[in-house]
Amino acid sequence: MNVPQMFGENVFNDAVQKETLPKEVYRALRATIESGKQLDVSIAGSVAAAMKDWAVSKGATHYTHWFQPLTGLTAEKHDSFIEPDGDKVIMSLTGKSLIVGESDASSFPSGGSRATFMARGYTAWDPTSPAFVKEGTLYIPTVFVSYTGETLDKKAPLLRSMTAIDKQAKRILKLFGIDCKKVSTTVGPEQEYFLISEEMYERRKDLRLCGRTLIGAPVSRGQELEDHYYGVLRPKVAEFMADLDRELWSYGVPSKTKHNEVAPAQHEMAPVFSTTNTAVDMNMLTMEIMRKVARRHGLICLLHEKPFRGINGSGKHNNWSMSTDTGLNLLDPGPSPESNTLFMLVLAAVIKAVDDYQGILRASVASAANDHRLGANEAPPAIISVYLGDHLGAIVDSIVNGENYVPVEAPEVSIGVPESPIFPKDATDRNRTSPFAFTGNKFEFRMLGSQANVADPNIVLNTIIADAFEQFADELEGSKDVVKSATAVIERELKEHYRIIFNLDGYGPDWEPEAMRRGLLNNKNTADAVPVCFEDKNIGVFVRQGVYTKAEAIARANIQLENYTKIINIEALTLLEMAKQDIIPAVSDYVADLCTNVAAKQAVNDSIPCTTERDLIMKLSEGNDRLSALIFRLEDILSGIDMNEVVPASQAMAHKVIPVMEEMRTVIDGMEKITSSEYWPYPTYFDILYSVK
Ligand code: ADP
Ligand code: MG
C-alpha cells in the first residue's frame, strides 16, 4: 500500500482544488478557507462543476448535503446528479445546489425554537471543510439553519465560535505586535471504543437498543491485572485496525495512533490534530467508518461511554489549542514561560474562562451515557479543575503568592545503560486524573464522552475563551506599557481564579470535599448539570460572542434534557421488557427444574439431601418476587412522567427512574450468578468481553 498516494484520495482537497479549478476561482476559494473571507458566490458554479466532474470520475452518481442536526448524529439526503437532456440525461451540479439545499426541519429536534408550520430548513455549504466521495455519493459538508436563520445543528455555532475566538485572539496578539490573518483553534480527538463479536451483540437486547448493557454480573477477570493497556493486538482486532486505517486515510483522516486500552476489548485511535471544524467532521466520519468496518469483520464497534459495568468506560480526549496561520501556537510556553507575557496572558484567559464558565463546560459534555463516566459510582467526580503540571504550576504559585520564581533546570533522565541516550526530563508530567490538563502546548479536556460530537465542548471552549480575550483586550488596548499592564492582569486573574487549579490526584477521596470547600460545581448527572444553561450569565456569554441568540441557547438546553429523558425512558422500557419476557421466565424455568429434581430425589429416598436445590429455589423465587415488585414500581413511576415537561421529566428520570433500575439490576445480577448458564437468556460479560480472538 502506497500510503502517501492513497491518503485523501476520496477528498476534494487543496491539491485537487488546485488542479481542477480555474486559477482565480481557486484563489478566491482558498481565501475563504484560509483567512475567513466571505465566500464570493459567483465562484460557486465553477466550483460545483469541478467538484461534480471529480466526483463522477470517482464513480459518484449522487450528492448530499451532509449535516449534523441536534440528534447528535449526521444526516444526509441523496440527490442524483442527473439532469434530463432530451431523452438522455447529463450529470450536473449547479452552483445553487452546492451552496444551499432545502430540508424539512420539522423532523429534527429544535427545542421549541421553531413552530412546525415554519418547518423549512436550509443546509448551506461550509467551504472550510472539504467535500468527499463515499460509496458513490459526493458528501458536501454543510450547516443547517431554519427558515428564520436560527441554527439547528452543531456546525453553525461551532463556526461562529471559531470566528469569535479568531477576532478576539487577533486583538490580543496585536497588543504584542503580532499581526496575522487568522487564529484557528485546533483539536485532536482521541477516540476510545470497544470491539465485541457480532454474534454476542445480536443476542443482547440492551446492546442493540441502548448501546450498553443494562444488566450483567461482573466477570471474574476484569482489568485488574492491567495487562490489556498497550497489550499485543489480537489478530482479529489487528485486522480490523489495519482495515480501519486504510479506509480513514482514503478520506484524509490522519489516523496516527492505535492501541489497546485499559479495559478488556477496549481500544483507541488518535488522529493527528487539525482545525476544529475539520476535526469535528472527520471525527463524525471516523465513528461511522469504525462501525461499518467492524461489521465487515464480524465485529461490533461500541462507541457508548459505558457499555459494561465494572470496567473502564470510553471517552474522547479533546486536545485543544489555538494557532495562527503563520504557525504560532498560542499555548506554546517556550523555554521560559515565566517571562513570556503573551503566553501567561493566554493561560490566564483560559483559566479565567474555565473557572467562570465551569457550569456550561460541564454541561456541554453531559448526556445519559456520559453520566456513567462522570460523577457516578465507579467514575471520577464531575468537577472541573485545571491541571498545570510542576513547571507551570510553580510559576503560577509564585505569581499568586507574590514570590520570585526561581527556574529549576529540568533534570536529565539516564536509564543507567551506557548505550542508551540521556534525555531531559519532560516538564509536563502526565496527570491522568485531571479533567482539564495542560499537556505541553495544548489543553486536554478529558470529560468528553466517546460517542459525543466533538463540536459540543469546543463551541463552549472557543466562546468562553474568546470572551476572556475580549475583556483583556478591552482593558489593555489603551495601555502605554502593555507588558506591565498585562502582567498586572495576569496576577489579578490568576489570584481570582486560583481555586480552579488542582495539581494533585483528581480521583482521590480528598478532592471532592476540597472542591466543595473551594465552591466548585459538582453536578453529577445531566438533569442537574444542564439547567445552568438557563442562567442569564451563561446565556450572556454566547449572546455577546455571537454564537447563540438567547432563544437558541435555551432551545439547545431543552433539547439536551429532552434527549436525556428519552434515552433513560428507552433504557427503562428495555430493562422492563428484558426482565418480564426473558429473565423472570428463565429463572422460573430453572426453579421448576430444581423442584422436579428435589421431588425425584425425595421419591427415591427422603433422606437424600436437597439443601443446595432448596436453597437455590428459595433464593431465586425470592429474587423473582423482588424483581416483579420493582417492575410494578418502575412502571408506576414511568406512567407518572409527563415527557413534554423536560425539566421535571429529566429530574424524575435521574432521581426516581434510575435508582429503581439500579435496584432491578442488583437483583438480576445476583440471580445471574446463581442461575445455571444453560438457562440464563443472555450472553454474560465473560461471553461478550472475551469472544474476539
Ligand atoms: P496522549 O495519549 O498522551 O494524550 P496522544 O498522542 O494519544 O497523547 O494524543 C495526543 C493528541 O493531541 C493527538 O491527537 C495530537 O495530534 C493532539 N495534538 C497535538 N498537538 C496539538 C495541538 N496543538 N492542538 C490540538 N491537538 C494537538
Ligand atoms: Mg491517549
Side-chain angles (χ1 to χ4, degrees), residues 190 192 229-230 259 261 268 270 317 319 430 432 444:
E190 302 166 43
E192 290 181 342
Y229 191 59
Y230 282 16
H259 60 81
E261 260 299 331
E268 178 182 299
H317 293 176
N319 294 274
R430 307 250 147 177
R432 295 286 178 189
E444 183 167 340

Side-chain angles (χ1 to χ4, degrees), residues 186-190 257 268 270-273 319-321 329 430 432 441-442 444:
T186 49
V187 165
E190 302 166 43
T257 310
E268 178 182 299
V272 178
F273 70 96
N319 294 274
W320 179 93
S321 191
N329 179 347
R430 307 250 147 177
R432 295 286 178 189
N441 59 4
K442 59 185 170 21
E444 183 167 340

Side-chain angles (χ1 to χ4, degrees), residues 387-395 397 405 425-429 503:
Y387 168 83
L388 296 174
D390 293 347
H391 190 200
L392 268 190
I395 294 172
D397 285 351
Y405 173 70
K425 187 167 174 274
D426 199 332
T428 56
D429 189 19
N503 284 320

Side-chain angles (χ1 to χ4, degrees), residues 36-205:
K37 250 185 100 212
Q38 174 113 49
L39 181 78
D40 174 1
V41 280
S42 68
I43 67 168
S46 180
V47 177
M51 234 186 226
K52 182 263 304 170
D53 285 343
W54 169 82
V56 169
S57 79
K58 297 251 150 216
T61 53
H62 288 68
Y63 70 95
T64 181
H65 275 199
W66 188 56
F67 59 104
Q68 298 169 22
L70 298 170
T71 53
L73 306 168
T74 54
E76 50 193 77
K77 177 188 89 182
H78 298 207
D79 279 304
S80 74
F81 289 123
I82 64 163
E83 192 69 56
D85 183 25
D87 50 10
K88 292 199 169 345
V89 294
I90 53 163
M91 299 298 256
S92 142
L93 178 68
T94 63
K96 185 162 177 287
S97 315
L98 168 64
I99 288 185
V100 49
E102 208 175 307
S103 170
D104 179 6
S106 63
S107 302
F108 292 103
S110 69
S113 71
R114 170 191 36 74
T116 356
F117 61 86
M118 285 200 320
R120 218 149 16 132
Y122 292 105
T123 50
W125 179 35
D126 166 17
T128 62
S129 184
F132 54 91
V133 167
K134 184 166 75 73
E135 291 149 10
T137 297
L138 170 68
Y139 281 72
I140 302 167
T142 59
V143 296
F144 184 40
V145 294
S146 77
Y147 180 64
T148 45
E150 286 158 319
T151 61
L152 294 172
D153 71 347
K154 308 212 171 190
K155 274 299 279 299
L158 179 73
L159 293 170
R160 289 178 183 173
S161 75
M162 291 174 74
T163 305
I165 202 165
D166 167 46
K167 182 170 162 204
Q168 303 304 337
K170 280 192 296 212
R171 288 176 68 196
I172 296 287
L173 288 169
K174 202 150 185 201
L175 292 167
F176 293 85
I178 300 170
D179 260 317
C180 66
K181 279 198 241 151
K182 191 169 181 178
V183 174
S184 304
T185 52
T186 49
V187 165
E190 302 166 43
Q191 179 72 53
E192 290 181 342
Y193 59 95
F194 279 84
L195 276 185
I196 61 168
S197 97
E198 193 172 20
E199 193 201 331
M200 295 299 140
Y201 171 85
E202 298 295 350
R203 288 167 50 200
R204 291 282 307 215
K205 243 180 225 172

